[in-house]
Amino acid sequence: MSASIISKTVKESQNNISPITMLVILPALFLGGTGLHELTAKHFLIPIFNIFLSLKN
Protein backbone atom coordinates (compact mmCIF):
# COMPACT_ATOMS: atom_id res chain seq x y z
CA MET A 1 0.00 0.00 0.00
CA SER A 2 2.78 2.44 0.86
CA ALA A 3 4.53 1.66 -2.43
CA SER A 4 1.47 2.77 -4.34
CA ILE A 5 1.02 5.95 -2.30
CA ILE A 6 4.41 7.41 -3.24
CA SER A 7 3.91 6.87 -6.97
CA LYS A 8 2.40 9.49 -9.23
CA THR A 9 0.63 7.34 -11.81
CA VAL A 10 -1.15 4.00 -11.89
CA LYS A 11 1.52 2.52 -14.15
CA GLU A 12 4.28 3.57 -11.77
CA SER A 13 2.32 2.12 -8.88
CA GLN A 14 2.01 -1.25 -10.63
CA ASN A 15 5.75 -1.25 -11.32
CA ASN A 16 6.43 -0.65 -7.62
CA ILE A 17 4.04 -3.32 -6.37
CA SER A 18 4.91 -6.15 -8.79
CA PRO A 19 8.18 -7.21 -7.05
CA ILE A 20 6.38 -7.27 -3.71
CA THR A 21 3.66 -9.45 -5.21
CA MET A 22 6.24 -11.88 -6.57
CA LEU A 23 7.84 -12.17 -3.12
CA VAL A 24 4.48 -13.23 -1.73
CA ILE A 25 3.49 -15.63 -4.53
CA LEU A 26 6.79 -17.52 -5.00
CA PRO A 27 6.85 -19.19 -1.56
CA ALA A 28 3.27 -20.32 -2.03
CA LEU A 29 4.13 -21.84 -5.41
CA PHE A 30 7.22 -23.51 -3.96
CA LEU A 31 5.26 -25.13 -1.16
CA GLY A 32 2.32 -26.07 -3.34
CA GLY A 33 4.08 -29.18 -4.61
CA THR A 34 4.96 -30.57 -1.20
CA GLY A 35 2.58 -32.79 0.69
CA LEU A 36 1.80 -32.46 4.37
CA HIS A 37 3.81 -35.58 5.20
CA GLU A 38 6.87 -34.33 3.27
CA LEU A 39 7.38 -31.25 5.43
CA THR A 40 10.37 -31.15 7.74
CA ALA A 41 11.48 -28.78 10.50
CA LYS A 42 13.56 -26.83 7.95
CA HIS A 43 10.39 -25.74 6.17
CA PHE A 44 9.03 -24.19 9.37
CA LEU A 45 12.20 -22.23 10.15
CA ILE A 46 11.86 -19.88 7.18
CA PRO A 47 9.59 -17.00 8.32
CA ILE A 48 7.58 -16.49 5.12
CA PHE A 49 7.02 -20.23 4.68
CA ASN A 50 5.53 -20.42 8.18
CA ILE A 51 2.53 -18.39 7.07
CA PHE A 52 1.85 -20.53 4.02
CA LEU A 53 2.40 -23.77 5.91
CA SER A 54 -0.07 -22.77 8.60
CA LEU A 55 -2.64 -21.97 5.92
CA LYS A 56 -1.96 -25.29 4.20
CA ASN A 57 -2.59 -27.30 7.38
Side-chain angles (χ1 to χ4, degrees), residues 11-46:
K11 190 173 187 178
E12 187 179 345
S13 172
Q14 290 173 344
N15 286 335
N16 291 339
I17 291 179
S18 61
I20 299 168
T21 305
M22 291 304 292
L23 287 175
V24 171
I25 291 175
L26 286 177
L29 291 175
F30 176 71
L31 292 173
T34 58
L36 291 176
H37 300 293
E38 298 173 355
L39 298 174
T40 61
K42 291 184 278 187
H43 288 99
F44 290 97
L45 293 176
I46 303 171

